Amino acid sequence: MDDRLFRNVMGKFATGVTVITTEIDGSIHGMTANAFMSVSLNPKLVLISIGEKAKMLDRIKKSKTYAVSFLTENQKEISMQFAGQIKENREAEFDWLNGMPVIKGAIASLTCNVVAEYEAGDHTLFIGEVTDVHFQEDAEPLIFFQGKYRELKSLKESVHS
């Protein structure tokens, strides 16, 4: 099968949108990712997948830590900024959780220590043990489906129509 067909099929899987962050020598680095999943409850493990061409790959290998911020429906521009889709220089606002930078106002954030990494095709999978979490009750997530940003409420409205 060709790459386009595979990408189209994978686009049929709706995901939340996250920003992965880490800090090295006082500098904060981040990237938008939807390749994130929960792995284990005991111990509490999550997984992120980083492409071999992403600058973030070497940064996480060096820091051995990462944070994941789940974006709200109002944070599309933050996602675009960390995906490199907005070229103008913008300052992101961060909060701190367990001494790590997380996106301010995210629906949820968690911090991790890398416990394993695996090369898989053109990506590296980082399994992180969760060291802290924070979430807010009353926020709706930003969704990515078929190559476009979506809002959960728009999906709810179409279900009830």
Side-chain angles (χ1 to χ4, degrees):
M1 87 192 69
D2 70 9
D3 291 351
R4 174 52 37 207
L5 173 62
F6 185 72
R7 288 178 66 98
N8 288 346
V9 169
M10 292 298 97
K12 296 293 184 184
F13 185 69
T15 66
V17 181
T18 71
V19 171
I20 309 299
T21 50
T22 195
E23 183 183 20
I24 299 173
D25 300 327
S27 293
I28 299 171
H29 305 279
M31 67 172 278
T32 298
N34 61 357
F36 163 81
M37 65 180 275
S38 173
V39 174
S40 170
L41 185 58
N42 189 18
K44 291 165 184 54
L45 301 174
V46 297
L47 178 146
I48 58 172
S49 178
I50 308 289
E52 65 185 4
K53 294 179 181 170
K55 294 175 186 172
M56 197 67 159
L57 181 64
D58 289 332
R59 293 170 175 159
I60 291 177
K61 284 184 176 195
K62 181 176 180 181
S63 72
K64 299 291 188 202
T65 63
Y66 62 87
V68 182
S69 298
F70 308 170
L71 299 186
T72 70
E73 64 187 358
N74 300 324
Q75 294 179 311
K76 176 181 169 184
E77 284 194 14
I78 292 171
S79 173
M80 293 173 71
Q81 175 184 351
F82 283 98
Q85 297 168 331
I86 296 177
K87 299 302 180 193
E88 66 192 57
N89 193 9
R90 295 186 183 183
E91 286 294 317
E93 288 189 64
F94 297 99
D95 280 333
W96 293 88
L97 179 64
N98 195 32
M100 296 186 64
V102 295
I103 300 298
K104 186 179 182 92
I107 193 170
S109 298
L110 47 90
T111 59
C112 302
N113 291 326
V114 173
V115 294
E117 62 183 75
Y118 303 97
E119 288 187 20
D122 60 1
H123 280 63
T124 297
L125 309 177
F126 292 96
I127 296 179
E129 185 165 11
V130 178
T131 55
D132 204 354
V133 297
H134 174 77
F135 71 99
Q136 51 176 318
E137 292 282 345
D138 298 342
E140 295 289 339
L142 183 61
I143 306 288
F144 200 71
F145 178 70
Q146 289 186 302
K148 297 178 184 167
Y149 292 100
R150 310 290 177 111
E151 294 176 10
L152 191 57
K153 69 180 172 193
S154 63
L155 295 176
K156 285 181 197 172
E157 290 166 3
S158 65
V159 169
H160 296 295
S161 299

